[in-house]
Amino acid sequence: MLTAIIDYESGNLHSAEKAFQRMAREVDGGEVVVTSDADVVARADRLVLPGDGAFPACAEELRGHRGIYEAMVEAVEQNGRPFLGICVGMQLMATTGHEYRDTPGLGWVQGDVVKITPSDSALKVPHMGWNNLVIDHDHTIFDGITSGDHCYFVHSYHFRVNDPAERLAHVDYGGDVTAVIGRDTMVGMQFHPEKSQDIGLRMIGNFLTWTP
């Protein structure tokens, strides 16, 4: 079993690599590699797409890595490989991102990535720090997780999902802010599981043993 964390030059992957490798050992989840090799992406059993920074820059970098992008899309769309998007990697699953300019996403989960606009002006943007999950729909990714468990967020934009069934969890930050999305063999987390202590590690382990 091979899990590929896709390196398309968008963020520091060291902490994610260590967290996934730790949980792979704990749950017998096979090998975890960070890779920019399209052949490795193509043969991986599971794919992880991280992302830090602005939506347009991440989308441009991803599509600019010819070979990796095509291998990822084929693995997910045609071969049904389990996929996890993290932070901007989750946002890239959207139809369109509206950060700085309108930018097409992967279109895997219909919806738009828009700026967070808290109803309480005292709440600052970016949304930064710990916040409590509200689980909207059961999913294997939440095994051992309950509403009220908290995760670590750093973001100014969030995913406004068209189909409520595909928003798996949210947090309250002067209004609902999407935290987890998913459909079919795909799931995405707005927070950083590798920075979310035991709760984040549990969710990484759940992904590594998920058989959709």
Side-chain angles (χ1 to χ4, degrees), residues 14 17 28 35 67-68 109 122 134-135 148-149 166-167 197 203:
H14 180 72
E17 178 184 20
D28 194 21
T35 185
I68 294 179
V109 174
V134 179
I135 296 174
D149 288 337
E166 295 176 350
R167 190 188 76 174
Q197 299 180 357
M203 295 175 79

Side-chain angles (χ1 to χ4, degrees), residues 145-162:
I145 309 295
T146 60
S147 288
D149 288 337
H150 56 278
C151 298
Y152 188 79
F153 293 79
V154 183
H155 62 125
S156 299
Y157 286 74
H158 80 114
F159 197 146
R160 188 169 57 197
V161 181
N162 289 358

Side-chain angles (χ1 to χ4, degrees), residues 49-161:
L49 183 70
D52 288 311
F55 188 108
C58 289
E60 182 177 343
E61 285 288 348
L62 181 60
R63 290 189 169 97
H65 280 69
R66 308 298 295 183
I68 294 179
Y69 175 74
E70 287 81 3
M72 180 190 74
V73 170
E74 180 176 352
V76 176
E77 292 185 357
Q78 298 182 29
N79 300 328
R81 303 283 169 75
F83 172 91
L84 171 62
I86 297 174
C87 196
V88 180
M90 180 196 90
Q91 294 180 2
L92 289 172
M93 297 166 69
T95 311
T96 309
H98 299 281
E99 186 172 3
Y100 300 125
R101 63 180 184 273
D102 291 352
T103 305
L106 291 161
W108 289 346
V109 174
Q110 297 299 300
D112 297 279
V113 176
V114 299
K115 191 171 181 64
I116 299 170
T117 55
S119 59
D120 182 353
S121 61
L123 294 174
K124 305 298 184 183
V125 176
H127 171 219
M128 183 182 301
W130 297 91
N131 206 332
N132 296 336
L133 291 177
V134 179
I135 296 174
D136 297 306
H137 301 287
D138 290 337
H139 192 282
T140 301
I141 205 75
F142 298 131
D143 285 354
I145 309 295
T146 60
S147 288
D149 288 337
H150 56 278
C151 298
Y152 188 79
F153 293 79
V154 183
H155 62 125
S156 299
Y157 286 74
H158 80 114
F159 197 146
R160 188 169 57 197
V161 181

